[in-house]
Amino acid sequence: RIVKNAKKLDSISFDEMLELASLGAGVLHNRSVELAKKYNVNLMVRSSLNNNPGTVVKEENKMERMIVKGVARDNDVARISICNIEDKPGMAFKVFSLLASKKINVDIILQSIGREGKKDISFTVSENQLDAAVAVINDNLDTIGAESVEYNKDISKVSIVGSGMVSNPGVAAKMFEALYEAHININMISTSETKVSVLIDRADAENAVRAIHAKFMNNESR
């Protein structure tokens, strides 16, 4: 819907599809992929409009395969920053145990380097949990030794996914280069063995997806 020259994959691994599904791709429900992986059953993604062959979700051999399999965008995200927390052991525990007690799920977390006995902690939550998260932090500012809480919901998370990234240095740098060339600023970064996610302004999200897709997909052979 965003990238006009997007191409259908012949196959994708269970782990890659799980990442894409959880990062906003919206193709398959996570549970369907989890069950297929558990019982090692190939899963075919088909169109409801025609009988054309679809993408097979399966266990894959990681040899001789493309590095990045897909780009995903998630608009259901908000960033919260807790400012000037005391820089001492246990502060992060206090913050995230409070959120856990209210069943608030946290995704990307960034903690600043402590200066003059203070630090900032920023993290993301789903947009529908933003009000509850801000409320619980505001109610406990004294308990966690913080001065204030700020938030921003005009943001998006854009991610690249691929099992091949773990053995290929420079993948993240290539993604950041695509965003730089598109004049898109990065607010936060999260990485794992199979994904790199960035937090950016929501107004830039679609341009970011197109720029990243062009940087990776137009140059990789299938």
Side-chain angles (χ1 to χ4, degrees):
R1 293 188 296 271
I2 298 174
V3 180
K4 300 302 181 184
N5 64 335
K7 297 180 180 179
K8 178 181 69 67
L9 297 172
D10 293 330
S11 65
I12 189 170
S13 72
F14 292 126
D15 290 337
E16 289 166 332
M17 192 63 245
L18 279 170
E19 287 281 22
L20 285 170
S22 65
L23 292 168
V27 177
L28 291 173
H29 193 283
N30 292 17
R31 186 61 176 154
S32 66
V33 185
E34 288 171 354
L35 287 171
K37 178 180 179 179
K38 180 178 179 179
Y39 296 105
N40 196 25
V41 175
N42 288 359
L43 186 63
M44 174 74 78
V45 184
R46 299 289 296 271
S47 171
S48 59
L49 303 176
N50 57 57
N51 291 320
N52 295 338
T55 299
V56 179
V57 186
K58 62 179 183 177
E59 280 298 339
E60 286 196 321
N61 186 338
K62 296 180 182 180
M63 299 296 293
E64 298 182 358
R65 59 199 305 277
M66 60 191 298
I67 299 171
V68 173
K69 279 294 186 72
V71 185
R73 178 202 62 179
D74 185 3
N75 287 337
D76 182 23
V77 60
R79 184 186 68 201
I80 298 174
S81 297
I82 307 174
C83 306
N84 291 325
I85 301 175
E86 294 181 34
D87 186 18
K88 63 182 184 181
M91 292 299 100
F93 166 70
K94 287 184 179 181
V95 169
F96 295 109
S97 61
L98 281 169
L99 296 169
S101 70
K102 301 296 182 181
K103 302 188 184 304
I104 295 170
N105 293 319
V106 175
D107 186 13
I108 301 174
I109 302 172
L110 177 66
Q111 178 175 293
S112 67
I113 297 174
R115 297 186 186 279
E116 299 180 353
K118 299 288 185 179
K119 62 187 176 184
D120 298 339
I121 295 179
S122 298
F123 56 92
T124 61
V125 298
S126 61
E127 199 168 342
N128 64 357
Q129 292 191 309
L130 173 62
D131 291 343
V134 171
V136 72
I137 296 300
N138 272 325
D139 290 344
N140 291 275
L141 283 178
D142 292 338
T143 302
I144 60 179
E147 291 184 5
S148 62
V149 57
E150 301 173 356
Y151 65 89
N152 180 6
K153 58 183 179 180
D154 293 322
I155 56 175
S156 293
K157 179 170 63 176
V158 175
S159 309
I160 56 173
V161 172
S163 298
M165 293 194 298
V166 68
S167 58
N168 286 273
V171 176
K174 192 172 181 180
M175 178 186 189
F176 303 153
E177 180 184 24
L179 296 173
Y180 162 71
E181 291 172 348
H183 307 290
I184 296 171
N185 190 47
I186 299 171
N187 296 319
M188 294 174 71
I189 301 168
S190 174
T191 65
S192 74
E193 289 187 352
T194 56
K195 72 173 174 64
V196 179
S197 297
V198 295
L199 212 62
I200 61 175
D201 292 343
R202 188 167 298 180
D204 293 327
E206 292 195 3
N207 284 338
V209 170
R210 284 189 283 265
I212 294 167
H213 185 278
K215 177 67 70 173
F216 283 99
M217 306 307 177
N218 292 351
N219 296 323
E220 291 193 13
S221 60
R222 283 175 163 62

